[in-house]
Amino acid sequence: MANLVLENLTIRYGGVTAVNDISIDVAAGEFLTLLGPSGCGKSTTLFSVAGLNHATSGIIRIGDKVLFDGSKKTFVPPEHRNIGLVFQSYALWPHMSVADNLAFPLKLRKMGRAERDERIKEALSLVEMLPYAERFPFELSGGQQQRVALARALVYRPSLLLLDEPLSNLDAKLRERARVWLRELQERLNVTTIYVTHDQSEALAVSDRVAVMSMGHLRQLGTPKDIYERPTDSFVADFIGSSNFLAGKLVESNSTHNVVELGNGVRIKTAPGSAKADGSLVVAVRPERIEVAPPATDNTIEVDIAGSTYLGSTYQYAVDVGGGELRILTPHEIQPGRVKVRIPPEATAVYADRPGEA
Amino acid sequence: MTDFSETRAKAPFIDRSQLIFWGVSILTAVLVIGPIAPIVIQAFLDKPLYAADAGATLANFGRLFSEAGMLAIFLNTLFFAVLTMVVAQVFGAVMAVLIGRTNLPGRAWFGEIFVWPLFVSNLVIAFGWFTMYGPSGFITLAFKSWFGLAPWDLYSIAGMGVVAGLSQAPLAFLMCLGAVTKADAQLEDAARSAGAGPFRALWSVTVPMMRPAIIYSAVLNFVIGIEMLAIPLLFGGPSGIQTITTFLYDQGINAAVRPEYGIVGAAAVILLIVVAFLVWLQGFLMKGSGRFVTVRGKASRPALLDLGAWRWPAFGIVFAFLFFTIITVFAGIFLRAGVSFLTPLVPFWKLLTTANFELIFSSANYMRSITNSIIISLVGAFIGTFFVTLIALVARRSEFRLGRPLEYLALFPRAVPGIIAGLGFFYAVVWLPGLDVVRGTIWILVLAFILRYIPVGFGTISPALSQIGEELDRGARISGADWWTTVTRIIMPILKPALFSCYALLFIHFFKEYVTAAFLFQPGSEIIGTTMLQLVAQGDNGPVSALATIQVIITAVFVFLARRVLGARIYG
Ligand SMILES: Nc1ncnc2c1ncn2[C@@H]1O[C@H](COP(=O)(O)OP(=O)(O)OP(=O)(O)O)[C@@H](O)[C@H]1O
Ligand SMILES: [Mg+2]
């Protein structure tokens, strides 16, 4: 059992910096998810851990075993890293049966026949695929292939398990079941796992910690609760869940709260946070935290309710307030007309930059 | 399953994959540069390459250009190549549309027949045309006796160009066919719903899609026209029309009488530069052809055009065309092989004889050329397939830093005409110490053929390789296999169909090759092609036909077996 350490990992392709100075310490047995929009460098990071691409600089090590060190030109080839990897496309070898797919890594480790069969059986039962051992990959459904791929990655007992969007080819229902199952399996085996996805609900549901990435940078690393409730910048606030961003000017600032003047002149109390040099800032608040026609009278603004979007379990309203559009999510229908809404100060966060600018 | 073992042992000191990468690259470099270097050096030497006191000079080029008739040779070559290309492109493209996209009756058969010429050498084709349409050919004489004249002359540049063009049309046909049949049906449907009739949709949407295929095969056929030996030799020889290849051939063959190494070197270098430029031009013209890429995902096949009332007239025209340009030509060879004398004036069954075949079967030399051809093709294609596959894998699927340069190097032989490759190997064995062991054996031919057809093999392997997702290799690497194990256990087994196709294609190319061997064979290492060249020169038409017939039969059997047993895809 060992932890995985990435220190100042940077990966460049020509002029493109796909991964920019990332440092992460993944504890032994931890389930860590790399989350971010398409092209942010998740797969690149993952594959550099696997040794399938070459990092430009930085250090990758498992425990005290250095896999890559840019300054010392250390590079352990992938086949010597003892890492399990599941690909988005599963990458089952089409010319080998399920059992042969699992046998291949074991044969490479010069394992005797009896032990090999034992291991294959064990791994296949773990993923509930034992009855399919003699099938060929093309004779399996997507979900079954995905489980075989997982068994293949686990059968040689890797010190680290890497998963690159393993559920993205499954349909929505199956995906939800599979992620629960995957997490239970991981906890049972207690294998250090790095999971890549661009699906935030998946990330929040399965992870011990989530690393949010954007354009090669690590934006925030924390527990699912952390990154949802206390996003450290406006990108994370925007990307995880969804947030309203209202432009304003800082009027008063102290350790417990700020007072901010919105574009229409209304002043509201917000959580503390710093503004730009000229005092401009954005206030982020989640649509579901906005209170409609509240009993309390502080921090309220008047808005005009017009059309609504019916979302099944909730209604969404978009209203115009000074400084931008405000989306409100509520379980109850609101009658059109003027209504008071309250922005609870404890539900706000203040950032100097808008999401795109940070 | 919680006792996770440690990271596996460190890599061995010398990585066998690196050895293979470098070994393959060095071998490719030697094979490609080996025959070209001596030619280029020779072009700038005042004495033969092997002379100790040879000095550098530019005079060879001056002498070449002042040689009598040199301008005519260049113009002949140019005109011949242009004509070859135009004829090949026009017939190839029209046939592709007719066979690929219309309801022409019998189109599957027509398509099969149309590609026959690709399976045999130009020498065989040229001889077939000579037998039927030559000055005293069967059909020529028949025409003369019926109509008083036969309005064609094979022994002119126009005649040569048409024959060469028709024998190269299948190449253009296959490429255009690929383009028109793979065109996304939705594109034409879009044109139809925009108001275009079916012909208009085909003409305005699909035919332009053939443009890259036409350009690509046009340059290919132009190059083939420039480097073609058989047709200019057979048809140009009697009427004194020389092209650059026949010039090189005559000079090279007559080297013993009038050693003109310098001039030959200079002419070869010029030919090499022209062809290399054309191959570069081809790549340049193909740039940005992405906008013509029509294959996207699982597009449905485009519908066939109804020719309507034109169906049967079109059938008649296409049938007549194929009958007179392909079936008759092959029939001529077979017929000539079975008679003592072929003439329309006497019914051929009165002249039937087995003498031609007996002559072949009773001669140790002729029989040896057949067995040599078979051995070279069987063994050479095997070695070639293995070597080309390695090149493709190192170039495309490894972490080798020089993968790209290796691919360029491996594709360079496209720019090396067969006659130059032959000449180059001829020089190389004289020049390079140690190569003496293969001199005059069939192994020098195997080497030369492999070099020449690396690009052909690469062209079959590399598209198949790009179909195999890289995660498959990556999955193997991460589960503990090094590069070589990944290649042999994962990629090659999946690549098997392409390997068989590559083998079959190389076999056919090796079996029909003659130009490259012209300078390299010696008594004992003759092949069918070189023996035919000699017999043609002596005017022994009977045995030539018999040999050609044997070559065609062996090829047909091989193609049948390769398609049936190996499931190889050869030309369609
Ligand atoms: N081999 C390469 N050469 C050049 N650029 C590359 C290469 N691989 C990745 N990149 C670039 O690096 C960036 C990160 O790519 P990466 O595949 O890691 O994204 P990702 O976060 O996995 O996205 P997705 O969710 O779409 O899979 C992209 O901008 C990509 O274009
Ligand atoms: Mg990715």
Side-chain angles (χ1 to χ4, degrees):
Chain A
M1 284 302 285
N3 60 333
L4 168 76
V5 179
L6 309 182
E7 278 173 36
N8 307 101
L9 189 69
T10 297
I11 304 171
R12 264 186 227 107
Y13 293 108
V16 187
T17 305
V19 173
N20 202 337
D21 198 23
I22 282 187
S23 300
I24 302 178
D25 189 336
V26 189
E30 184 177 0
F31 193 116
L32 179 109
T33 298
L34 298 179
L35 175 66
S38 186
C40 70
K42 307 177 297 280
S43 301
T44 309
T45 308
L46 197 74
F47 285 154
S48 71
V49 173
L52 293 169
N53 60 23
H54 285 242
T56 312
S57 63
I59 294 177
I60 302 172
R61 59 185 167 83
I62 295 181
D64 50 10
K65 181 123 192 151
V66 177
L67 300 181
F68 172 80
D69 186 339
S71 57
K72 296 205 194 98
K73 300 247 171 293
T74 313
F75 180 83
V76 178
E79 62 268 27
H80 293 286
R81 294 192 177 195
N82 203 38
I83 287 176
L85 175 56
V86 176
F87 295 86
Q88 184 172 358
S89 61
Y90 314 137
L92 297 178
W93 301 306
H95 61 301
M96 296 181 180
S97 68
V98 166
D100 288 341
N101 262 278
L102 267 67
F104 184 66
L106 300 179
K107 283 183 191 155
L108 293 168
R109 286 165 175 75
K110 311 249 177 318
M111 193 175 286
R113 183 165 192 122
E115 195 187 350
R116 210 164 67 209
D117 289 346
E118 189 53 40
R119 288 272 195 113
I120 294 172
K121 232 170 101 184
E122 187 188 8
L124 283 180
S125 9
L126 205 56
V127 300
E128 295 150 32
M129 286 296 290
L130 195 53
Y132 300 88
E134 295 316 314
R135 294 249 190 125
F136 279 87
F138 72 91
E139 298 168 322
L140 301 177
S141 74
Q144 292 168 334
Q145 288 186 29
Q146 182 259 328
R147 282 189 275 166
V148 173
L150 188 64
R152 189 179 73 186
L154 289 172
V155 71
Y156 49 92
R157 299 183 184 169
S159 41
L160 185 64
L161 178 64
L162 307 179
L163 305 153
D164 188 13
E165 312 206 16
L167 308 183
S168 64
N169 285 340
L170 307 181
D171 64 53
K173 272 263 178 295
L174 186 54
R175 198 153 65 214
E176 272 182 31
R177 256 188 291 140
R179 74 189 189 202
V180 174
W181 171 82
L182 184 65
R183 175 67 215 224
E184 282 171 5
L185 185 65
Q186 188 268 343
E187 279 179 339
R188 188 138 47 100
L189 300 178
N190 198 24
V191 55
T192 315
T193 301
I194 302 186
Y195 185 88
V196 162
T197 183
H198 57 247
D199 180 334
Q200 43 157 315
S201 58
E202 207 168 281
L204 298 178
V206 297
S207 321
D208 291 319
R209 283 192 301 162
V210 179
V212 184
M213 293 178 68
S214 141
M215 295 162 73
H217 292 273
L218 177 61
R219 301 309 278 271
Q220 186 171 359
L221 176 61
T223 63
K225 211 168 160 132
D226 264 344
I227 62 159
Y228 190 83
E229 295 184 355
R230 287 173 290 282
T232 52
D233 66 20
S234 56
F235 169 81
V236 179
D238 188 35
F239 185 71
I240 308 293
S242 97
S243 290
N244 289 297
F245 292 97
L246 301 173
K249 266 207 169 326
L250 187 62
V251 177
E252 187 192 321
S253 154
N254 60 44
S255 62
T256 55
H257 67 275
N258 284 357
V259 175
V260 173
E261 183 175 307
L262 299 179
N264 57 0
V266 176
R267 293 192 173 191
I268 57 170
K269 217 165 114 185
T270 67
S274 53
K276 270 197 228 171
D278 65 352
S280 67
L281 51 70
V282 287
V283 178
V285 58
R286 302 225 180 255
E288 72 273 15
R289 298 290 302 268
I290 296 173
E291 298 166 10
V292 181
T297 53
D298 67 310
N299 245 24
T300 54
I301 46 180
E302 292 222 315
V303 296
D304 281 313
I305 296 289
S308 72
T309 313
Y310 178 57
L311 298 175
S313 56
T314 53
Y315 295 85
Q316 178 178 306
Y317 299 89
V319 298
D320 195 44
V321 297
E325 186 197 61
L326 189 67
R327 274 169 298 129
I328 304 170
L329 270 188
T330 124
H332 310 291
E333 198 167 3
I334 313 174
Q335 292 311 314
R338 224 164 159 69
V339 74
K340 267 198 171 146
V341 298
R342 176 172 182 263
I343 300 175
E346 67 279 10
T348 61
V350 168
Y351 306 109
D353 301 287
R354 290 198 151 266
E357 302 159 358
Chain B
M1 281 195 28
T2 45
D3 58 323
F4 296 101
S5 60
E6 266 307 287
T7 328
R8 295 175 71 213
K10 260 257 144 69
F13 182 61
I14 296 181
D15 189 354
R16 65 176 173 176
S17 309
Q18 287 294 332
L19 283 181
I20 297 169
F21 298 161
W22 285 104
V24 168
S25 305
I26 291 169
L27 209 57
T28 311
V30 169
L31 212 52
V32 173
I33 297 167
I36 295 171
I39 291 186
V40 174
I41 295 172
Q42 178 67 77
F44 296 98
L45 288 183
D46 54 5
K47 301 235 172 63
L49 204 53
Y50 47 81
D53 59 344
T57 178
L58 281 177
N60 294 327
F61 289 90
R63 276 169 54 223
L64 177 69
F65 289 117
S66 58
E67 180 110 340
M70 195 40 70
L71 183 66
I73 289 181
F74 280 116
L75 288 180
N76 286 344
T77 309
L78 183 68
F79 188 41
F80 172 67
V82 168
L83 202 58
T84 303
M85 175 184 80
V86 171
V87 171
Q89 297 320 107
V90 169
F91 284 96
V94 170
M95 287 296 279
V97 172
L98 279 176
I99 289 175
R101 292 298 313 280
T102 68
N103 63 348
L104 183 75
R107 52 203 194 89
W109 282 99
F110 287 160
E112 285 280 312
I113 295 173
F114 194 60
V115 299
W116 281 3
L118 283 184
F119 292 103
V120 297
S121 68
N122 289 312
L123 189 58
V124 171
I125 302 279
F127 188 75
W129 280 84
F130 162 81
T131 307
M132 299 309 266
Y133 297 99
S136 53
F138 186 82
I139 295 183
T140 312
L141 292 184
F143 249 70
K144 279 192 177 147
S145 68
W146 295 335
F147 304 112
L149 85 167
W152 60 78
D153 178 13
L154 274 196
Y155 288 8
S156 64
I157 293 194
M160 288 157 49
V162 170
V163 172
L166 288 176
S167 75
Q168 287 310 125
L171 213 57
F173 165 74
L174 285 176
M175 291 189 183
C176 294
L177 191 69
V180 291
T181 52
K182 283 196 202 88
D184 187 343
Q186 291 176 1
L187 295 175
E188 263 185 46
D189 293 345
R192 294 294 298 278
S193 33
F199 281 96
R200 184 58 208 255
L202 179 70
W203 179 253
S204 311
V205 177
T206 304
V207 170
M209 298 281 178
M210 293 201 301
R211 208 169 92 184
I214 292 179
I215 293 174
Y216 189 83
S217 54
V219 180
L220 208 62
N221 280 333
F222 188 75
V223 169
I224 289 174
I226 287 184
E227 55 181 63
M228 189 180 290
L229 176 64
I231 291 172
L233 195 66
L234 256 68
F235 302 160
S239 49
I241 302 171
Q242 264 202 325
T243 65
I244 184 95
T245 43
T246 52
F247 171 78
L248 279 175
Y249 180 71
D250 291 342
Q251 295 290 333
I253 290 295
N254 298 334
V257 192
R258 192 174 73 108
E260 275 291 10
Y261 288 117
I263 288 189
V264 170
V269 164
I270 289 174
L271 181 55
L272 199 58
I273 291 171
V274 170
V275 175
F277 167 76
L278 287 170
V279 170
W280 172 84
L281 182 71
Q282 188 179 38
F284 178 78
L285 290 176
M286 295 308 289
K287 264 206 191 124
S289 59
R291 67 195 168 105
F292 292 104
V293 171
T294 59
V295 206
R296 297 228 192 281
K298 279 183 196 152
S300 53
R301 274 195 137 222
L304 293 183
L305 270 189
D306 188 1
L307 292 178
W310 281 96
R311 259 187 104 203
W312 289 104
F315 172 86
I317 293 170
V318 172
F319 178 78
F321 169 66
L322 291 181
F323 181 81
F324 283 110
T325 63
I326 293 176
I327 298 174
T328 328
V329 168
F330 277 90
I333 297 167
F334 302 152
L335 213 55
R336 181 63 189 84
V339 297
S340 52
F341 189 66
L342 187 62
T343 167
L345 307 175
V346 186
F348 69 86
W349 55 88
K350 299 210 170 144
L351 300 170
L352 283 181
T353 172
T354 54
N356 294 324
F357 287 99
E358 273 162 26
L359 188 75
I360 301 287
F361 292 141
S362 63
S363 153
N365 282 349
Y366 298 162
M367 285 310 284
R368 194 168 48 234
S369 66
I370 296 174
T371 47
N372 279 346
S373 274
I374 294 176
I375 293 173
I376 288 173
S377 307
L378 281 177
V379 179
F382 184 82
I383 301 173
T385 302
F386 185 69
F387 186 55
V388 168
T389 308
L390 275 186
I391 293 177
L393 288 169
V394 173
R396 290 280 175 85
R397 293 307 259 279
S398 78
E399 59 267 33
F400 187 46
R401 272 172 293 129
L402 302 178
R404 279 273 122 180
L406 174 63
E407 182 167 342
Y408 284 120
L409 193 65
L411 291 180
F412 187 75
R414 281 190 305 168
V416 184
I419 195 151
I420 305 277
L423 206 55
F425 269 98
F426 177 70
Y427 283 155
V429 283
V430 182
W431 188 50
L432 294 174
L435 268 185
D436 249 12
V437 282
V438 289
R439 184 177 181 178
T441 70
I442 59 172
W443 301 109
I444 183 81
L445 298 182
V446 168
L447 272 183
F449 291 3
I450 289 179
L451 161 82
R452 187 143 150 66
Y453 293 111
I454 289 174
V456 169
F458 201 91
T460 18
I461 301 285
S462 87
L465 199 55
S466 23
Q467 297 292 315
I468 303 177
E470 294 214 27
E471 316 86 66
L472 294 184
D473 339 4
R474 295 174 145 200
R477 292 300 294 274
I478 197 72
S479 23
D482 67 353
W483 181 79
W484 182 241
T485 310
T486 305
V487 157
T488 48
R489 300 288 303 281
I490 306 290
I491 308 184
M492 286 208 192
I494 303 176
L495 212 52
K496 209 148 70 183
L499 297 183
F500 285 150
S501 301
C502 177
Y503 178 80
L505 215 53
L506 287 186
F507 180 99
I508 291 167
H509 276 92
F510 287 11
F511 197 64
K512 72 181 192 183
E513 182 60 57
Y514 64 96
V515 191
T516 314
F519 295 119
L520 292 177
F521 82 96
Q522 279 178 11
S525 67
E526 52 276 272
I527 57 172
I528 296 181
T530 56
T531 303
M532 272 168 54
L533 264 184
Q534 284 180 323
L535 289 171
V536 166
Q538 295 158 15
D540 287 337
N541 294 340
V544 175
S545 313
L547 211 48
T549 303
I550 292 170
Q551 193 177 22
V552 170
I553 290 172
I554 294 176
T555 307
V557 170
F558 175 81
V559 169
F560 178 79
L561 287 180
R563 281 180 174 165
R564 274 295 159 86
V565 182
L566 299 182
R569 289 177 54 85
I570 323 162
Y571 301 136

